[in-house]
Amino acid sequence: MRLSQYFLPTLKENPTEAQIVSHRLMLRAGLVRQTSAGIYAWLPMGYRVLRKIEQIVREGQDEAGAQEVLMPTIQPAELWQQSGRYEVYGKEMLRIKDRHEREMLYGPTNEEMITDIFRTSVKTYRDVPKNLYHIQWKFRDEVRPRFGVMRGREFLMKDAYSFDLTKEGARISYQKMFLSYLRIFARMGLQAIPMQADTGPIGGDMSHEFIILAETGESGVFCHPDWIKTDPLKEPVGYNDDLNPFFEKYTSLYAATDEKHKPGAAGIPDSELLQARGIEVGHIFYFGTKYSQPLGAKVTGPNGDLITLEMGSYGIGVSRLVGAIIEACHDEAGIIWPEAVAPYKVGLLNLKANDAAATKICDEIYTMLQQAGVEVLYDDRDERAGTKFADCDLVGLPWQIIGGRGLDKGMVELKNRKSGERTEISIEDALNKVIGK
RNA sequence: CGGGGCGUAGCUCAGCCUGGCUAGAGCGCUAGUUUUGGGUACUAGAGGCCCACGGUUCGAAUCCGUGCGCCCCGACCA
């Protein structure tokens, strides 16, 4: 993409409304624009990041055996009246009426709806287990939206729902999601740590919040230092294997938010615990028959008896992740995207845009990168070098190829946004490095 | 939902207390000169229903009332 053609409205100054760093940077880097409190429009660059995250989540869930569906944003009130949550949910739920005065709502979550879909179609134990998920916009009418996209009223969420015959089966479904989540976040370049969360009336060890570490995180966390050494992508375990050993290994390492932290409970001296801050980006839990019971989601078992399904649900805040990643990955100059979610891999800066010979070389580099399938944002604007550097750093692409005074000798500078390291190398070497990576 | 703050140019803000010239600055934008590897400098421009409605007054961005919007702290939450 040529920057001269692109819709990327960057800001030099910080908008007053944005207080936290990710919100400021998202506005300044031209990723989003706010349309009302807690509701955002996604501009081209921001939308690319959102879709990359979404795709990593999708692939991770598919691989774990979940199947993607798409449920509507608007739901009928009846379902929620059946589950009893219509009254309970309160003002957070945006209620609306259609032209026939029928009560509808903008879905804050989809347990009722998926249970309804499932119960009407699945009648025999032979059809379970199943795990269905979708990635859809949700609305919660937060009293006080804040932190930009991190706590908006409208947000994109992946939510999966598992259906099992037995609690043991539900446990397996849960463990699959546990593994899937660890891998999904790791693929995004994030260290996510599952922490035991409230399980409500059900109890047990089957509810975890996934927290990514970021200095500006909303809550304090304590965890075992060995967490840093873990790499879920390297665990030699598959979704059809017995996941118990893996689950044991990862749940036995201590990790707790400051609210739940119990001094002395870590198994190692508290002074050795890693203290950090974190942001919740995912939540998984088992809730048994909480919805299947009132909604009558049952199947016929092997003996002909009716069995109420055991369910779990598994959420990832997709739009929230955009903000969360920026909280975890930025510096004074701007965003530093992990490569897996970067809107473009390379920024190509032509510092001599008014020099025909230099421009010709940069155009060629641009073409070669495109032909090699590298996502590249080409700053071909007739701007000062300083402006280009500032914009490119702000926007946070992992690599910068800087074409300037060395161009006539076939040299460019390759800069790594994260380390800040810059090396003057030949065009060919720069291309190889960026393409090969 | 309790407490606080703020709405003036695209952005950041001054002016308001103590009402009165034609409503300002910096950045951004347009044109030109300049500069040419870290948001260059100069010149000339464009750009405003001063959040809305009502009131007080000869006169309101400024004072008063009501409403709306946005932000922050807390409670709540993915």
Side-chain angles (χ1 to χ4, degrees):
Chain A
M1 175 59 70
R2 283 175 182 268
L3 194 45
S4 63
Q5 313 289 312
Y6 204 37
F7 182 59
L8 183 68
T10 58
L11 302 170
K12 203 164 173 178
E13 289 177 271
N14 283 321
T16 20
E17 77 225 38
Q19 297 297 317
I20 63 159
V21 64
S22 62
H23 191 195
R24 282 206 299 266
L25 288 173
M26 287 184 76
L27 292 169
R28 285 194 52 209
L31 305 185
V32 293
R33 285 290 111 104
Q34 180 168 324
T35 62
S36 58
I39 304 181
Y40 294 83
W42 294 78
L43 307 187
M45 183 85 93
Y47 191 41
R48 280 180 78 91
V49 175
L50 189 67
R51 290 204 317 261
K52 292 225 164 161
I53 293 171
E54 186 181 330
Q55 189 56 24
I56 292 171
V57 171
R58 176 175 289 121
E59 287 167 8
Q61 292 283 279
D62 287 347
E63 192 177 276
Q67 299 174 49
E68 187 170 13
V69 298
L70 184 59
M71 290 179 271
T73 53
I74 305 290
Q75 307 184 20
E78 290 88 62
L79 283 175
W80 289 68
Q81 285 158 350
Q82 277 188 46
S83 74
R85 282 164 108 194
Y86 196 62
E87 306 308 323
V88 178
Y89 219 94
K91 290 189 170 178
E92 310 258 294
M93 187 153 76
L94 181 64
R95 295 151 208 258
I96 48 187
K97 279 189 179 160
D98 70 10
R99 65 195 301 161
H100 304 295
E101 294 290 303
R102 276 193 280 259
E103 292 182 62
M104 313 288 282
L105 57 99
Y106 196 125
T109 177
N110 286 69
E111 279 87 1
E112 283 81 357
M113 181 165 279
I114 194 74
T115 307
D116 178 55
I117 292 169
F118 206 77
R119 71 177 172 186
T120 59
S121 317
V122 173
K123 298 294 177 193
T124 161
Y125 76 97
R126 294 173 189 276
D127 288 336
V128 290
K130 287 271 183 303
N131 186 324
L132 302 175
Y133 75 97
H134 77 337
I135 300 173
Q136 177 64 291
W137 293 93
K138 306 274 192 298
F139 195 92
R140 290 186 196 168
D141 201 359
E142 296 280 350
V143 205
R144 191 188 158 205
R146 60 182 125 175
F147 305 145
V149 119
M150 297 241 289
R151 186 159 169 208
R153 292 194 290 172
E154 189 183 54
F155 54 96
L156 187 62
M157 186 171 168
K158 187 284 303 180
D159 40 326
Y161 304 93
S162 65
F163 298 88
D164 280 276
L165 209 58
T166 62
K167 185 167 180 186
E168 293 68 46
R171 186 172 181 82
I172 292 170
S173 295
Y174 184 88
Q175 291 176 347
K176 285 184 179 176
M177 288 294 109
F178 186 89
L179 172 59
S180 175
Y181 272 41
L182 284 171
R183 288 189 168 160
I184 284 170
F185 294 124
R187 273 180 204 149
M188 289 175 195
L190 302 171
Q191 169 96 52
I193 299 181
M195 308 207 180
Q196 194 157 336
D198 278 330
T199 44
I202 292 169
D205 62 348
M206 296 220 279
S207 176
H208 287 89
E209 290 177 353
F210 286 75
I211 304 232
I212 65 169
L213 300 183
E215 279 178 27
T216 50
E218 57 203 349
S219 49
V221 300
F222 297 84
C223 64
H224 197 287
D226 284 357
W227 269 111
I228 303 299
K229 298 179 199 153
T230 61
D231 184 354
L233 296 176
K234 295 219 170 81
E235 295 291 338
V237 64
Y239 289 102
N240 293 321
D241 298 340
D242 173 11
L243 292 175
N244 273 306
F246 169 81
F247 188 68
E248 285 299 315
K249 176 179 169 187
Y250 274 77
T251 52
S252 63
L253 275 179
Y254 188 80
T257 58
D258 48 11
E259 293 170 342
K260 305 236 171 56
H261 177 57
K262 289 191 237 63
I268 58 168
D270 281 6
S271 57
E272 289 175 25
L273 285 175
L274 194 69
Q275 282 194 42
R277 303 199 67 79
I279 302 167
E280 184 185 347
V281 290
H283 196 168
I284 61 179
F285 53 99
Y286 160 75
F287 48 68
T289 59
K290 182 174 175 186
Y291 301 99
S292 49
Q293 223 275 319
L295 290 166
K298 299 174 199 164
V299 295
T300 309
N303 302 323
D305 46 347
L306 282 178
I307 298 168
T308 301
L309 291 164
E310 295 282 336
M311 295 176 59
S313 83
Y314 315 89
I316 290 179
V318 176
S319 50
R320 162 177 264 214
L321 265 165
V322 179
I325 290 171
I326 295 171
E327 290 293 328
C329 312
H330 69 273
D331 63 14
E332 284 302 300
I335 302 169
I336 305 172
W337 291 115
E339 224 165 286
V341 300
Y344 294 89
K345 182 175 180 180
V346 179
L348 172 62
L349 312 196
N350 178 5
L351 298 189
K352 301 174 108 180
N354 51 9
D355 176 324
T359 298
K360 183 161 177 289
I361 299 171
C362 286
D363 284 354
E364 284 166 11
I365 298 174
Y366 177 55
T367 305
M368 285 187 276
L369 285 168
Q370 284 187 310
Q371 283 172 352
V374 175
E375 293 173 311
V376 52
L377 185 63
Y378 177 22
D379 193 344
D380 60 336
R381 296 172 304 171
D382 184 15
E383 287 288 347
R384 312 237 343 146
T387 303
K388 296 191 177 194
F389 286 132
D391 273 343
C392 201
D393 285 348
L394 173 64
V395 147
L397 308 182
W399 296 96
Q400 297 175 16
I401 294 177
I402 300 157
R405 52 193 167 216
L407 276 175
D408 51 350
K409 297 183 214 68
M411 302 294 280
V412 291
E413 236 177 295
L414 182 66
K415 174 176 164 181
N416 181 280
R417 175 66 180 87
K418 188 174 181 185
S419 66
E421 187 190 342
R422 310 155 59 128
T423 46
E424 179 143 15
I425 56 178
S426 71
I427 291 170
E428 197 187 346
D429 286 349
L431 287 172
N432 286 339
K433 186 133 191 200
V434 155
I435 292 166
K437 283 277 307 178

